[in-house]
Amino acid sequence: MLSLPLLRHTDVPPRVTENFILSGYRFPNYSLRQCLVSAFHPTNETGNFWTHFLPIFVFAFHFLEVFTWEGAPEPSNPFFYPFWNYFLGVLYLLLASSLAHLLNSMSLIIREICFFVDYGTISAYTVGSSLAYYYYIHPQAGIPEIGFGGLNSTQRKSLNANDEAWPSTSSPTQFQLFFESLYIPSSCLVAIICVITCCNTRQCWRRYRYAVRTLVFLLPFFVSSTPVFYRLSVSSPSSSSPYLFSTMAAFFYRHCFWLVVSALFNISKIPERFSPGNFDIWGHSHQWFHCCTFLSILDELQMIKVEMQALLLNPTLVLSPAMPPRLPGPTLWSTYGVMLLLQGCIACIIAGFGWQAYQIYAPAQKKKCHKHR
């Protein structure tokens, strides 16, 4: 049989149950084929899978639109390195999340590893966002050399190329020093802390696991968003690009709004809290959590695209001599290298927690196999 009967919460280990979800459980021991088929059958994980799998195609559509802009450089141009890293971060997040919900019924060990990988990709996404913010939204972001449109290195452009946004002195401020030296390393460090904390909630703090996982990701949000906060504080709608500034600010506020709504769904467990059993298959809080997180990502993407378009397509915004020097342009090491190093660290962390899960659950599974024999 490709599809096994669904179980109630009293028929599965407490480890697999979700608060206020009473039925629709697939556990135990689905095969890989049965897990894949279950995506097309109503279980309490079906909606969780589709609400992060289908958005992959929506996100890819909006992402690829950038390369159709008139005058945009080739997709392989170094200017797009941070953007590609951001795309990979979002892709890994959505794909890992959807597959974690689809494959977690194969065994308790695989279930743990699936969600360890899920937490790891969320952290990697935050660093991908940080790279995009650093090179496109950072107050000193610019394009030293992009080699298109007839512009030379002395005609560098920036969204914030107005003297009001910066002090007239050339000495760097504390904010500038943080951005240039500590911003990306801080984002990576916080991402690693988040992975370790979220993985720990699989064994510790079980009662408050949803609140801990939600709150712990507030830290990377505040760290990665510091360029946006600074831009909003030093710029104003009366600057040289009032429309672009207001558009960027609107997308960022919407991004924050959807993050707050998604956090409320994840912690409160509404609506199933008020009607246990009636939202087991469709409409429970985790599905709404997925929808809201994707909407926040989509607004974040639009915000980044606004900044990129201003940098690429507005030749009137020329670097002023009174402005501080721009950041060096993105390189393979400063973008792909950072993400690769981070992924290596996260993989080591996941391997450690995976081994710990194996030691906990493998003996019980072996006993169960011997009993069936």
Side-chain angles (χ1 to χ4, degrees):
M1 291 178 61
L2 291 180
S3 179
L4 296 177
L6 298 180
L7 306 175
R8 290 188 60 80
H9 69 291
T10 52
D11 303 323
V12 297
R15 183 80 197 168
V16 222
T17 59
E18 298 291 339
N19 295 337
F20 313 109
I21 302 296
L22 307 184
S23 63
Y25 291 96
R26 298 172 297 163
F27 188 87
N29 300 329
Y30 265 42
S31 66
L32 175 61
R33 190 178 183 185
Q34 288 169 330
C35 285
L36 296 177
V37 170
S38 70
F40 303 96
H41 292 275
T43 75
N44 59 25
E45 292 284 21
T46 303
N48 294 337
F49 168 75
W50 288 109
T51 50
H52 261 181
F53 185 73
L54 292 178
I56 292 175
F57 303 97
V58 179
F59 179 81
F61 173 80
H62 288 281
F63 172 84
L64 294 173
E65 181 192 9
V66 170
F67 304 112
T68 66
W69 290 346
E70 183 181 356
E74 293 295 320
S76 59
N77 191 285
F79 175 73
F80 286 124
Y81 287 172
F83 198 47
W84 279 112
N85 278 268
Y86 173 70
F87 171 78
L88 292 175
V90 175
L91 175 65
Y92 294 157
L93 182 155
L94 297 175
L95 190 60
S97 173
S98 55
L99 291 180
H101 287 290
L102 187 63
L103 305 179
N104 65 47
S105 63
M106 295 178 68
S107 73
L108 283 176
I109 298 173
I110 292 178
R111 178 185 178 84
E112 296 298 292
I113 293 174
C114 281
F115 287 111
F116 292 157
V117 173
D118 188 20
Y119 306 145
T121 56
I122 295 174
S123 295
Y125 151 73
T126 64
V127 175
S129 297
S130 297
L131 288 170
Y133 289 3
Y134 185 73
Y135 286 105
Y136 304 131
I137 304 180
H138 189 298
Q140 290 174 257
I143 323 173
E145 295 181 14
I146 53 177
F148 78 101
L151 296 174
N152 57 42
S153 59
T154 63
Q155 293 176 303
R156 294 174 291 181
K157 302 171 290 180
S158 169
L159 178 61
N160 255 359
N162 59 84
D163 295 343
E164 297 176 3
W166 289 93
S168 59
T169 61
S170 59
S171 59
T173 66
Q174 291 182 347
F175 283 111
Q176 295 168 35
L177 291 173
F178 168 75
F179 287 146
E180 293 176 15
S181 305
L182 299 176
Y183 174 64
I184 296 299
S186 297
S187 297
C188 293
L189 178 61
V190 168
I192 291 172
I193 292 173
C194 288
V195 176
I196 295 173
T197 305
C198 288
C199 289
N200 265 316
T201 62
R202 305 295 303 176
Q203 299 297 334
C204 310
W205 316 310
R206 290 283 299 169
R207 184 176 180 181
Y208 306 104
R209 60 189 183 275
Y210 298 110
V212 172
R213 292 170 197 166
T214 302
L215 295 176
V216 78
F217 280 110
L218 285 177
L219 185 57
F221 165 76
F222 283 116
V223 172
S224 64
S225 298
T226 47
V228 185
F229 294 143
Y230 193 43
R231 276 283 306 280
L232 295 175
S233 66
V234 300
S235 302
S236 66
S238 61
S239 64
S240 60
S241 305
Y243 173 75
L244 293 176
F245 174 83
S246 60
T247 304
M248 184 274 290
F251 280 126
F252 179 69
Y253 294 144
R254 281 170 44 177
H255 168 66
C256 295
F257 169 78
W258 289 120
L259 285 178
V260 170
V261 175
S262 67
L264 292 175
F265 274 120
N266 199 37
I267 295 175
S268 67
K269 297 302 168 187
I270 295 173
E272 65 268 21
R273 173 183 292 272
F274 299 123
S275 187
N278 288 328
F279 297 95
D280 291 351
I281 307 300
W282 301 108
H284 59 75
S285 60
H286 203 79
Q287 295 168 10
W288 292 112
F289 166 71
H290 277 191
C291 293
C292 292
T293 53
F294 176 66
L295 289 173
S296 76
I297 290 172
L298 208 55
D299 279 326
E300 180 184 51
L301 173 64
Q302 299 300 334
M303 174 182 67
I304 293 170
K305 285 168 63 177
V306 166
E307 298 295 282
M308 292 175 64
Q309 193 168 39
L311 290 170
L312 288 171
L313 304 177
N314 197 335
T316 62
L317 299 178
V318 183
L319 183 67
S320 166
M323 300 280 287
R326 293 296 176 210
L327 295 170
T331 63
L332 286 173
W333 168 246
S334 68
T335 53
Y336 292 100
V338 168
M339 285 293 280
L340 187 61
L341 184 61
L342 175 71
Q343 294 285 9
C345 294
I346 290 175
C348 292
I349 294 170
I350 291 172
F353 279 100
W355 175 248
Q356 184 183 51
Y358 176 80
Q359 291 179 313
I360 294 173
Y361 297 114
Q365 288 192 348
K366 288 179 181 178
K367 287 181 181 178
K368 189 173 182 180
C369 289
H370 288 308
K371 181 184 286 189
H372 285 301
R373 288 179 183 174

